[in-house]
């Protein structure tokens, strides 16, 4: 009988363990870093953290260190940042960049023979749509909780909501600019749901315009209060509208210079002014010194916001060879980006002694003007060899007092993403191009304001007869080079692909050649063409 | 007994009334002589069937005059012959004896009762099995013979000889022992196995200084490819059983040690999942290959299952001491430009940069950096084991110690193991208990293995030390290095590889214990029923750090040249509980045996890792401490029916219902069925008497298995948010705000499902002197986890693991083993196996767009380039490259490729898939030759049609020499094969045939036999491992796991002296 008892006891034990364990399949994540939506939004402070993510997506790549816990997969998390690869997409195909690395994907930009599997095209597209998805998530979660949000923070949350919509509009603007007709997803679509429809470029233009106008009342006022530095305010909203309307012909087929001028006026009248010293706009303490001019920055910080995109890329990749890294405030460079000799020739005096915006290392180090007697730079014999004589030292990780930034790899230098100088040039261009509500004299004055700052006096000022569209394109280059707007500008002037403007190695030949107009839009990455059968590829890819 | 005989005789006599007297006298005559004499002396004739009556039996009859009946009774006394007198005829017939009850006990050689032994009356289907006391009772004729059989024992034929009480002693069968194979939740005679499985036992293991158990298996089993991941001691190997069936999920097999499934992932600070096991404690591996064998492990079985059985205690006291001392040498280094050639090359290609070259008074200083980082390394291994039985407790205790240095300086692997096995029996042997406890202390110094690559790149004209004070004296690339050795480091300058080794402290200690206790209870009132309970755990704790001193130019993360302080701590806990019942019933009238097993299993695994990185001074974080715990629970119900008909036709059905916490509602449970049929053709009458064919078994199997180790964390279905750390904040209004991110997820993710059909034939000729098997399989994986980009904007990731793909894997495995010579002095056994495997991706995305590819295989040296792809119709990891154009002299033309699609443009649509790292065929060869006390053995492997992307050669271009203007890099002499200026990563010139034959080991041993009054047995051996490699491959080593050769840690050539003492 003792066997019987033993057997029964065992059977009971097993039955008990069995029933107990089947329930164990419902365990929840143990990692304290992984939390669910209900827990997250229980704490009102977390709304701001999620909004901070919508902003951080401008230049950060993940949630841990400089490349850990990445948002999107990429073999190089530096490339996976919006700030860096937007820079690549806006600059590498133009006269403002030659890259010494020789990576196949980068050469395709410069040669303007982009393939639909180009990894940079893909990673920028993925980054922008990741950013849109995060903004959508903010809007979706907040909308669904509006009734539960305490009155004490309701005002803040409404403002946050407008900012998330602004950032979404900003990301959509670049999607529209780079690829034309693109997938369209809003907070109304569920996460993980199917294949979004493709929206026409002009329809997306209308959507962004309506969003920007709708949120404007809820945004922070257009001022330079350091308390709100980094956040999208009404001026940032107008700036994006102005940019859209300046390029309206490209995006919708119909130009709209008047609206451009209107929003430029709004910004100019909001109290912004040119920062007296051009070079300080690109230094490590520009977040403290240049609030007069910066309308909307991408905030970088070597201690708290470490990433291999943004100014980390712009500054490190600009330094290399026998150049002195400490001049740039970094430990050592990556020997990547330089300009074309064509671009250097945009400055009649590239030494920086007259037009101080000519910030070419060869002339600046060890002291400004050091290389002033160097003969005009010839086109480099290789498109992919880093040449210090073509190096740019516009962005640096040193402060206006010469102190190095807080970290010698990750600069403190913010990207002055939208700044007043661009507004002045937009105003001038819209007016010269036929905008009727602008003033030619004001346009001339704005351009001369920039040139007076650049020369330190009026010696570089121009007259009204000089103020032609092509002068403005060149002036935009001189003022805004390496500020992620060159490709858009060249396309607007018809000079990007098959125009008659040639620069070193355009199209892959040393003196440049015209390329196919296909290049005015990037290809929708093959990966998304596969994932979303609603999409129609851009012509030529 | 006497009474019964009398009764029989009385009954016989009663039948005859007629009486005739006859006088006979015989001494030791045959029955035939007696019958002839009776016929001569009487009128009777005998009628009988020759086959019934043994007429040659010797008898003696007394010299008396007796009645014929009495004479005949006396003559056939004690036989089964009865006589009947019909007139003048005496008819002799066989008496059908009366069955009588017989009782008996079956015992093993230790005198312990054998429970569940089958007792069958020979020539019939009648029989029974023994109960918990080894007792049986049945009814059998007095002259019957009983066949007593039990798995693992020699079958005994026991004549009853009229006895009613029998004691039968079974002897453990040496042959049968080897032929019993573990099949998961039970074991089966190899000849009765229905699935595709192979056993590699200790006598077949590879030889030499083997510090990680997987290497024992290299080349030993058809369809099992074992590739060591590097030449580091203790390093794990990648095992692929019948190719892979997955792209992103794990392709590793499930390891089960003495019934406990262990984690197949490698803990931080550990060299591999099995590296903490002492190979000397392993008795055998059983590799379950096809789904009919593996489906019993359900959702973890798609990569195959490897059952590891540890050694057990024996009856006699045995003390064994094994010792080996090894010397590992560097077999080959890469041919790089020497200092003279390098000076010349720089002078020719970069005359403006010659001042970067090392100075030295005579301009001839030279350093062979590879010689500086590699060494001849020593290793030792000791195992002492004691086994025996104390009282009634069989035990085995072993202690092992291994300490092996790597050929990369500072690399070290050491391991102390203790293994205890106990096999007590209780409750009159109805409860058998097996306890196994294993404890390991494992120390590692992983060194900084990037020194291997940097020894290739470091300028050979530079000395190791240059008397600087800023960089601890090690020559470092500084701005204007020659004039200012203490200057700021060049950010991307090649780190000094000797400094990397000497200033890095990348060490860990791993404490691990694996234990199990299993109960096998023979249920007393149902003798056919066994109840089994297995409980096991696998616990490991690893602590380590990867620290680098400051003033080191290559550490730039938290602070420039500030070194690293990177401690980590991982805990893995794995517990399992299994309960199953096993019911074996023979139903003799239908000549059938049913072996039914049903069980329940629960497994829980937990792991946590804490990790952080600071500078050496611990003043700045580059990655703050994170604590990441996670857990998985598995609940399973499973069952198996083995049905045997006429001992020839075998059917197996298995079913497992697996529940996992890893997937979401609706996807937690999955059913994994399998069926197999085997036909022992050699037992059919037409082959039964064949002297040539001793075994011929056809196997057909089909089954479904899963793979839930999808490498996407333990909660891939959960939508969650994740807070960032202090480096991923964003500045808003002069405050840095911690960010929180929604994580991408697929709520519907679940396991991959692999359907596997297998046809196999096991054969044996000449009493199995030649034996082997051939298997053909076809595996289709559906719900294949593919890394697909979700439609842009729909998820919080650009790369989502989803069940959208399919994969097909077809192959053939063939194995043959034979004893070529077997004489008193000579014995020579050889083994050979070959397998062919074709893996093709058949679907990658939900909408199959042609030529859609997912890049794989990052190219070192590029910023964002890949060499391989996943693409429909291609082998996984196929190389994706441009077709190189050559000039008329056969030299490649740089940057010129074939316009494969003839559109006049060379762009990415001209890329094509050129070979893959997967071999077309792999073979294993082994030989064991014995002559008297000498033995000589070797093991080798062949791999055909595997290709490697030679990343080292791809970086050997002139542009590499002066990639940046402030430092020089050396390149390999492969630069002369292309003379390329720039890196042409996508040229197919770098896709190189890496077929090879590797002689894994050759060993010579001498057995001194019994010394010191038979008390000690001594064997000495000399082994060479990695003896030679024959290959067309131009890189360092053709055997590169993953197929991208980038400065591989070379596999050493090792010489081992071994000593084996047995007391």
């Amino acid at each position: 009988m003792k066997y019987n008892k033993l057997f029964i006891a065992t059977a009971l034990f097993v039955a008990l363990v069995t029933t107990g364990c089947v329930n164990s399949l419902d365990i929840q994540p143990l990692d304290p870093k992984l939390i669910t939506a209900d827990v997250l939004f229980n704490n009102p402070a977390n709304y701001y953290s999620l909004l901070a993510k919508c902003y951080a997506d401008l230049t950060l790549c993940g949630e841990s260190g400089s490349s850990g816990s990445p948002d999107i997969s990429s073999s190089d998390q530096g490339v996976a940042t919006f700030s860096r690869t937007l820079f690549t997409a806006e600059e590498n195909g133009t006269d403002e960049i030659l890259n010494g690395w020789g990576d196949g994907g980068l050469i395709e930009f410069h040669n303007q023979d982009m393939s639909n599997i180009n990894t940079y095209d893909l990673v920028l597209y993925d980054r922008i749509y990741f950013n849109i998805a995060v903004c959508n998530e903010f809007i979706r979660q907040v909308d669904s909780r509006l009734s539960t949000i305490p009155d004490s923070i309701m005002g803040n949350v409404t403002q946050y909501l407008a900012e998330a919509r602004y950032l979404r509009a900003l990301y959509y603007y670049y999607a529209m600019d780079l690829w034309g007709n693109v997938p369209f997803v809003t907070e109304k679509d569920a996460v993980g749901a199917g294949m979004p429809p493709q929206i026409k470029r002009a329809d997306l233009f209308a959507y962004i315009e309506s969003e920007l106008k709708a949120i404007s009342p809820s945004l922070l006022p257009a001022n330079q209060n350091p308390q709100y530095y980094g956040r999208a305010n009404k001026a940032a909203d107008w700036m994006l509208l102005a940019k859209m309307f300046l390029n309206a012909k490209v995006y919708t087929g119909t130009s709209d210079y008047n609206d451009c001028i209107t929003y430029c006026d709004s910004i100019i009248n909001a109290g912004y002014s040119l920062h007296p010293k051009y070079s300080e706009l690109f230094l490590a303490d520009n977040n403290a010194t240049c609030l007069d001019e910066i309308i909307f920055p991408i905030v970088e910080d070597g201690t708290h916001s470490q990433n291999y995109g943004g100014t980390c890329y712009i500054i490190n990749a600009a330094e290399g060879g026998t150049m002195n890294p400490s001049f740039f405030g970094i430990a050592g460079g990556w020997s990547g980006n330089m300009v074309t000799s064509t671009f250097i020739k945009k400055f009649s005096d590239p030494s920086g002694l007259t037009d101080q915006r000519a910030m070419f290392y060869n002339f600046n180090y060890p002291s400004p003007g050091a290389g002033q007697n160097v003969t005009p730079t010839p086109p480099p014999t290789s498109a992919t060899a880093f040449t210090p004589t073509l190096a740019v030292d516009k962005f640096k990780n040193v402060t206006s007092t010469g102190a190095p930034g807080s970290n010698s790899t990750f600069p403190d230098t913010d990207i002055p993403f939208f700044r007043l100088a661009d507004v002045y040039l937009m105003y001038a261009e819209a007016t010269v191009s036929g905008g009727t509500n602008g003033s030619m004299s004001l346009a001339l004055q704005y351009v001369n304001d920039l040139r007076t700052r650049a020369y330190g006096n009026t010696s570089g000022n121009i007259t009204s007869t000089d103020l032609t569209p092509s002068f403005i394109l060149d002036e935009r280059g001189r003022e805004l080079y390496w500020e992620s707007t060159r490709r858009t500008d060249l396309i607007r002037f018809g000079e990007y692909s098959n125009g008659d403007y040639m620069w070193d190695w355009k199209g892959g030949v040393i003196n440049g050649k015209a390329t196919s107009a296909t290049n005015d839009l990037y290809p929708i990455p093959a990966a998304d063409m596969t994932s979303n059968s609603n999409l129609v590829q851009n012509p030529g890819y | 007994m006497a009474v019964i005989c009398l009764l029989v005789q009385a009954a016989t006599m009663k039948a005859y009334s007629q009486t005739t007297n006859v006088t006979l006298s015989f001494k030791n005559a045959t029955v035939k002589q007696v019958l002839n004499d009776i016929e001569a002396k009487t009128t009777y004739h005998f009628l009988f069937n020759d086959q019934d009556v043994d007429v040659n039996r010797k008898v003696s009859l007394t010299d008396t005059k007796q009645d014929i009946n009495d004479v005949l009774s006396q003559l056939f006394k004690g036989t089964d012959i009865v006589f009947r007198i019909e007139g003048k005829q005496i008819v002799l017939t066989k008496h059908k004896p009366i069955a009588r009850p017989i009782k008996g006990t079956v015992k093993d050689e230790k005198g312990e009762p054998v429970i569940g032994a089958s007792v069958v009356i020979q020539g019939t289907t009648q029989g029974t099995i023994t109960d918990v006391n080894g007792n049986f009772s049945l009814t059998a004729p007095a002259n019957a013979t009983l066949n007593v059989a039990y798995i693992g024992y020699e079958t005994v034929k026991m004549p009853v000889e009229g006895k009613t009480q029998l004691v039968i002693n079974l002897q453990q069968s040496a042959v049968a022992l080897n032929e019993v194979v573990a099949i998961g939740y039970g074991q089966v005679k190899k000849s009765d196995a229905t699935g595709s499985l192979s056993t590699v036992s200790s006598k077949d293991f590879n030889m030499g200084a083997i510090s990680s158990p997987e290497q024992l298996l290299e080349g030993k089993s058809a369809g099992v490819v074992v590739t060591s991941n590097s030449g580091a001691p203790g390093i794990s190997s990648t095992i692929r059983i019948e190719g892979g069936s997955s792209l992103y999920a794990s392709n590793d097999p499930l390891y089960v040690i003495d019934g406990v499934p262990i984690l197949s992932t490698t803990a931080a600070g550990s060299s591999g999942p099995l590296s903490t096991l002492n190979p000397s404690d392993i008795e055998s591996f059983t590799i379950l290959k096809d789904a009919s064998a593996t489906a019993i492990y359900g959702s973890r079985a798609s990569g195959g299952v490897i059952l590891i059985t540890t050694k057990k205690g024996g009856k006699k006291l045995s003390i064994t001491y094994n010792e080996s001392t090894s010397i590992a040498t560097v077999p080959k280094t890469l041919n790089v430009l020497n200092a003279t050639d390098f000076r010349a090359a720089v002078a020719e290609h970069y005359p403006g940069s010659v001042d970067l070259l090392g100075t030295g008074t005579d301009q001839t200083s030279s350093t062979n950096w590879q010689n500086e980082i590699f060494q001849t390394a020593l290793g030792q291994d000791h195992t002492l084991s004691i086994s025996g039985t104390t009282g009634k407790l069989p035990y085995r205790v072993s202690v092992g110690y291994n300490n092996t240095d790597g050929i990369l300086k500072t690399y070290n692997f050491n391991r102390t193991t203790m293994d205890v096995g106990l096999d007590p029996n209780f409750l009159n042997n109805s409860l058998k208990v097996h306890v196994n406890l294993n404890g390991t202390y494992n120390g590692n110094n992983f060194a900084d293995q990037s020194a291997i690559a940097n020894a290739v790149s470091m300028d050979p004209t530079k000395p190791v030390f240059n008397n600087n004070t800023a960089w601890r004296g090690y020559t470092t690339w500084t701005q204007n290095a020659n004039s200012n050795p203490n200057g700021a480091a060049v950010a991307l300058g090649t780190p000094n590889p000797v400094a990397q080794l000497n200033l890095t402290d990348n060490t860990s200690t791993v404490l691990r214990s694996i234990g199990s206790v299993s109960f096998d209870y023979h249920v007393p009132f149902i003798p056919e029923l066994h109840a089994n309970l297995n409980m096991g755990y696998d616990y490991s704790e690893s602590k380590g750090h990867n620290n680098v001193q400051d003033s080191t130019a290559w550490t730039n993360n938290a602070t420039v040249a500030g070194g690293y302080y990177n401690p980590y701590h991982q805990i893995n806990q794995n517990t399992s509980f299994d309960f199953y019942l096993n019911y074996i019933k023979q139903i003799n009238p239908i000549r059938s045996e049913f072996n039914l097993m049903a069980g329940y299993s629960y497994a829980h695994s937990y792991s946590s890792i804490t990790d952080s990185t600071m500078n050496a001074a611990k003043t700045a974080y580059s990655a703050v401490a994170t604590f990441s715990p996670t857990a998985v629970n598995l609940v399973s119900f499973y069952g198996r029916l083995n049905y045997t008909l006429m001992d020839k036709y075998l059917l197996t059905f298995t079913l497992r219902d697996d529940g996992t916490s890893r997937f979401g509602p609706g996807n937690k449970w999955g059913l994994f069925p399998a069926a197999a049929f085997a036909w022992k053709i050699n037992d059919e009458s037409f082959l039964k008497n064949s002297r040539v064919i001793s075994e011929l078994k056809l196997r057909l199997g089909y089954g479904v298995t899963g793979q839930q180790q999808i490498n996407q964390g333990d909660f891939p279905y959960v939508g969650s948010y994740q807070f960032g750390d202090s480096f991923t904040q964003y500045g808003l209004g002069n405050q840095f705000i911690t960010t929180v991110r929604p994580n991408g997820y697929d709520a519907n993710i679940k396991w991959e499902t692999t359907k596997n059909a297998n046809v196999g034939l096991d054969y044996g000729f000449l009493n199995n002197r030649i034996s082997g098997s051939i298997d053909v399989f076809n595996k289709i994986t559906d719900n294949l986890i593919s890394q697909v980009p979700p439609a842009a904007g729909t998820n919080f990731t650009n790369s989502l693991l989803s069940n959208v793909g399919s994969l097909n894997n077809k192959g053939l495995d063939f194995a043959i083993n034979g004893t070529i010579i077997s004489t008193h002095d000579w014995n020579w056994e050889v083994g050979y196996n070959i397998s062919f495997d074709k893996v093709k991706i058949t679907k990658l995305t939900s909408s199959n767009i042609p030529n859609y590819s997912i890049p794989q295989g990052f190219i070192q040296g590029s910023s964002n380039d890949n060499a391989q792809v996943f693409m429909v119709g291609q082998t996984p990891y196929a190389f994706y490259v441009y077709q190189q154009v050559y000039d008329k002299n056969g030299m490649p033309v740089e940057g010129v490729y074939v316009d494969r699609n003839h559109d006049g443009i060379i762009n990415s649509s001209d890329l094509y898939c050129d070979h893959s790292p997967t071999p077309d065929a792999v073979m294993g060869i082994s030989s064991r030759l014995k002559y008297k006390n000498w033995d000589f053995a070797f093991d080798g492997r062949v791999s055909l049609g595997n290709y490697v992307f030679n990343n080292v050669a791809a970086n050997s271009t002139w542009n590499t020499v002066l990639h940046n203007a402030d430092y020089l890099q050396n390149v390999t002499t492969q630069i002369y094969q292309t003379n390329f200026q720039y890196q042409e990563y996508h040229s197919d010139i770098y896709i190189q045939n890496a077929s090879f034959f590797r002689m894994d080991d050759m060993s010579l041993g001498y057995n001194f036999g019994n010394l010191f009054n038979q008390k000690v047995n001594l064997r000495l051996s000399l082994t060479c491992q990695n003896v030679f490699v024959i290959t067309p491959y131009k890189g360092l080593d053709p055997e590169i796991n993953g197929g991208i050769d980038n400065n591989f840690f070379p596999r050493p050539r090792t010489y081992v002296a071994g000593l084996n003492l047995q007391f």
Side-chain angles (χ1 to χ4, degrees), chain B residues 318-511:
Chain B
S318 164
I319 300 173
T320 310
Y321 171 64
N322 293 327
E323 188 273 344
S324 71
T325 303
S326 60
I327 301 171
T329 62
V330 186
K332 194 178 168 188
T333 52
L334 283 166
N335 289 324
V336 295
L337 304 196
N338 63 28
T340 309
D341 293 345
F342 190 69
R343 282 176 210 282
V346 173
E348 183 193 339
H349 290 269
Y350 300 104
S353 297
V354 287
D355 55 343
L356 290 171
L357 288 163
T359 48
T361 47
D362 53 359
Q363 290 288 313
T364 56
S365 61
S366 92
T367 303
N368 182 329
W369 289 98
Q370 292 183 88
N371 286 354
E372 296 294 330
I373 62 158
F374 289 125
Q375 64 180 357
T376 296
L378 293 178
Q380 51 173 318
D381 187 271
H382 309 265
T383 303
L384 177 68
S385 72
I386 303 170
S387 71
T389 301
T390 172
K392 282 192 148 189
L393 179 65
Y395 64 90
R396 179 180 184 271
V397 178
S398 85
V399 180
Y401 176 70
N402 182 298
N403 192 327
T404 308
D405 285 334
I407 55 172
L408 180 65
K409 283 178 183 173
T410 73
Y411 197 105
N412 176 265
F413 171 83
N414 64 76
R415 175 181 61 207
T416 307
T417 57
M418 170 126 183
D419 190 76
V420 177
L422 304 171
D423 293 274
N425 291 341
F426 300 99
L427 304 173
N428 293 328
N429 296 311
S430 64
L431 179 62
K432 289 183 178 169
V433 180
H434 173 66
V435 179
N436 190 64
L437 289 172
N438 173 291
T440 303
Y441 174 90
N442 170 218
N444 299 284
N445 185 343
F446 295 113
D448 183 343
Q449 295 178 43
S450 65
I452 297 172
N454 293 328
V456 172
S457 308
M458 190 65 183
D459 174 0
T461 69
K462 293 282 192 297
V464 177
F465 298 97
N466 68 353
N467 298 321
N468 70 67
T469 51
W471 307 105
R472 296 179 179 269
Y474 291 95
T475 303
T476 296
W477 281 109
T478 52
Q479 309 292 335
N480 306 313
N482 289 328
S483 60
N484 186 18
N486 288 318
V490 173
L492 299 177
T494 311
N496 183 320
V498 178
Q500 286 190 296
L501 292 181
N502 291 344
L503 302 177
T504 299
D505 176 17
N506 183 4
T507 56
S508 71
T509 56
V510 183
L511 291 168

Side-chain angles (χ1 to χ4, degrees), chain A residues 3-4 24-25 35 49 63 65 69 71 73 75 103 115 137 192 229 299 304-306 321 335 382 408 528 530-531, chain B residues 524-525 560 600 633 668 721-722 724-725 727 729-730 733 738-739 741 789 792 794 798 847 863-864 908 964 966 982:
Chain A
Y3 297 137
N4 269 326
S24 70
L25 299 182
I35 49 177
S49 278
E63 293 297 310
S69 186
D71 295 338
S73 78
S75 47
D103 292 49
S115 82
E137 176 74 354
Y229 178 75
V299 182
H304 299 99
S305 308
Q306 296 186 350
S335 304
S382 162
S408 62
D528 205 35
T530 307
S531 303
Chain B
F525 47 89
V560 177
Y600 160 78
N633 292 329
K668 285 194 188 296
Y721 293 81
Q722 180 176 354
D725 63 17
F727 305 112
Q729 297 172 334
Y730 191 76
T738 298
T739 59
R741 173 185 67 197
T794 61
N798 64 338
S847 62
S863 80
N864 206 13
S908 49
N964 295 327
D966 44 7
Y982 295 105

Side-chain angles (χ1 to χ4, degrees), chain A residues 225-306:
Chain A
N225 186 345
Q227 199 187 336
Y228 301 112
Y229 178 75
R231 291 176 62 182
N233 59 19
K234 287 188 172 66
D237 196 65
W238 300 328
M239 176 87 180
L240 190 51
L241 283 161
K243 280 173 79 77
M244 296 225 309
F245 289 120
L246 182 68
N247 292 285
K249 180 90 193 273
V250 175
Y251 301 143
T252 68
T254 312
S255 55
D256 190 349
Y257 297 113
N258 284 352
D259 274 326
C260 175
I261 291 163
T262 302
Y263 288 108
C264 288
D265 272 335
S266 299
I267 300 165
I268 293 164
N269 296 332
Y272 292 93
S273 59
L274 291 184
H275 184 69
K277 209 165 175 204
Y278 178 80
S279 62
E280 288 180 356
L281 286 161
F282 315 101
L283 294 182
D285 55 353
N286 58 356
N287 61 315
T289 58
C290 299
L291 269 57
D292 41 5
E293 180 167 345
I294 297 174
I295 294 162
F296 183 63
I298 295 179
V299 182
E300 303 278 6
D301 187 82
T303 308
H304 299 99
S305 308
Q306 296 186 350

